[in-house]
Amino acid sequence: MANPTKVPFLDLVTPHQELEAELLAVVKKSFSTAGFIGGPMVEDFEREFAAFCDAKFCVGVNSGTDALRFAFMASGVEEGDIIVTVPNTFIATTEAISQAGAKIAFVDINEQTYTLDPEKLREYLELRCEFNQTTGQLIERESKRRVVGIVPVHLYGQTADMDPILELASRYHLFVIEDACQAHGAEYFSKKENRWRRAGSMGHAAAFSVYPGKNLGACGEAGATTTNDEALAKRMKMIRDHGQAKKYYHDIEGYNGRLDSIQAGWLSVKLRHLAKWNESRRKLAHRYHELLAEVKESLVLPREASWTRGVYHLYVVRVQDREAFQAYLGEAGIGTGIHYPIPLHQQVAYKHLGYITGDFPVTERVAREIVSLPMFPQLTHDQQNQVVSKAKEFVGAKVVAAK
Ligand SMILES: Cc1ncc(COP(=O)(O)O)c(C=O)c1O
């Protein structure tokens, strides 16, 4: 018989039990008004989440994928335009690009941070594209398509290196949409501005998923965009609501992408706990760093660049023989995950893009070794000790076997 799970990869039950009374009060409130879509609960959440992200506006939508898609559409993407992102992300990033009518171009990640490598981005923009001074457009030489935007993904809760990315974007007249779906509350120290900046406040717009397992999670599907640009916020609002600013007056074709009031109410309740939960994740991450330091030759630990304050959506280590490592921990009832096992350029869905193995060596190498350890705010030291002891045991066993 399989062992019962002793240390789940993620515990979503405990926080909901802890907040049960407040969450149920939201349901009662929504029943008393029967306003289930939009309305004051959505507007309250939008105001609170914008403030949390240090952004001027927030538009609640029904998933992180829609948040990305609506941000692209509102930014004026046209059929066949190119949007640049990384192959080491969840497929929703690129699905949203395609669904907005654009084409995907990948650049590799940095091996230390697992996020978009600004040098590789520079290489792509400078060597593979040509800037037309007259039109102010950047054209990819081979496809002759217009490059219009960049999507840095703040993966695992750490921001991408935004200063050089924003600088390149401004030089080539590109928009930057932050994929902040895993980074609610993450911070970036901008040398240019000499201040810490929040994920969701740096690009032209940002997309957040509030899928239940995220740092801020709804009790179902939901998402949000943030921006400092009022016109962009207005367009995203229209797009989420069938292209109408006024009921039955449709300026454009849009989508049914609105946020449910109950989800917004629940998100407002949870948002009040987010800073504390993020702090707990950071403490647990530092405890993992300390406890695993002696085996860091065999287990590559996450590195937090000096310019980022991560919120550890995931605690991702790298290990040779990852499948055996996962099986070893699994035998002891410890849950793990892989984010993500197959780089996007090697997925069947993207065969048509024509990329080949070897095109993004860092992503490919990392994808073979990464494994996510249990990480959630309520993880106890006792549970964490079990993870650490089994991880060390595995690595120790490997060392002995290798002699
Ligand atoms: C990096 C990234 N982008 C986009 C998404 C899409 O969000 P959703 O699942 O809410 O559509 C996710 C969520 O899984 C994600 O992790």
Side-chain angles (χ1 to χ4, degrees), residues 142-154:
E142 199 181 326
S143 67
K144 308 266 182 297
R145 294 181 188 279
R146 199 165 70 125
V147 181
V148 294
I150 305 166
V151 186
V153 182
H154 303 325

Side-chain angles (χ1 to χ4, degrees), residues 62-68 88-93 95 153-156 179-182 207-211 214 221-223 313 340:
N62 65 12
S63 70
T65 313
D66 270 1
L68 285 162
N88 181 38
T89 179
F90 181 54
I91 193 171
T93 314
E95 281 174 331
V153 182
H154 303 325
L155 205 69
Y156 310 148
D179 182 335
C181 287
Q182 300 189 4
F208 290 87
S209 166
V210 283
Y211 184 76
K214 299 293 198 246
E221 299 282 2
H313 173 58
Y340 297 91

Side-chain angles (χ1 to χ4, degrees), residues 135-146:
T135 60
Q137 290 184 348
L138 185 71
I139 305 295
E140 191 190 65
R141 285 205 183 90
E142 199 181 326
S143 67
K144 308 266 182 297
R145 294 181 188 279
R146 199 165 70 125

Side-chain angles (χ1 to χ4, degrees), residues 163-179:
D163 274 352
I165 294 170
L166 289 168
E167 201 269 319
L168 284 165
S170 142
R171 189 183 311 164
Y172 294 115
H173 303 187
L174 311 176
F175 63 70
V176 173
I177 307 290
E178 299 168 65
D179 182 335

Side-chain angles (χ1 to χ4, degrees), residues 285-301:
H286 291 138
R287 193 162 181 273
Y288 266 139
H289 293 345
E290 277 168 28
L291 296 175
L292 292 169
E294 71 188 73
V295 290
K296 67 174 190 251
E297 300 302 317
S298 329
L299 210 64
V300 180
L301 305 181

Side-chain angles (χ1 to χ4, degrees), residues 85-89 106-121 153 155-156 318 359-367 370:
T85 193
V86 287
N88 181 38
T89 179
F106 288 124
V107 297
D108 213 345
I109 55 165
N110 175 288
E111 189 149 4
Q112 309 291 314
T113 65
Y114 307 134
T115 58
L116 177 64
D117 185 334
E119 269 316 304
K120 308 259 171 61
L121 177 66
V153 182
L155 205 69
Y156 310 148
R318 282 166 63 188
D359 278 348
F360 305 105
V362 180
T363 294
E364 289 167 26
R365 186 161 54 246
V366 161
I370 44 178

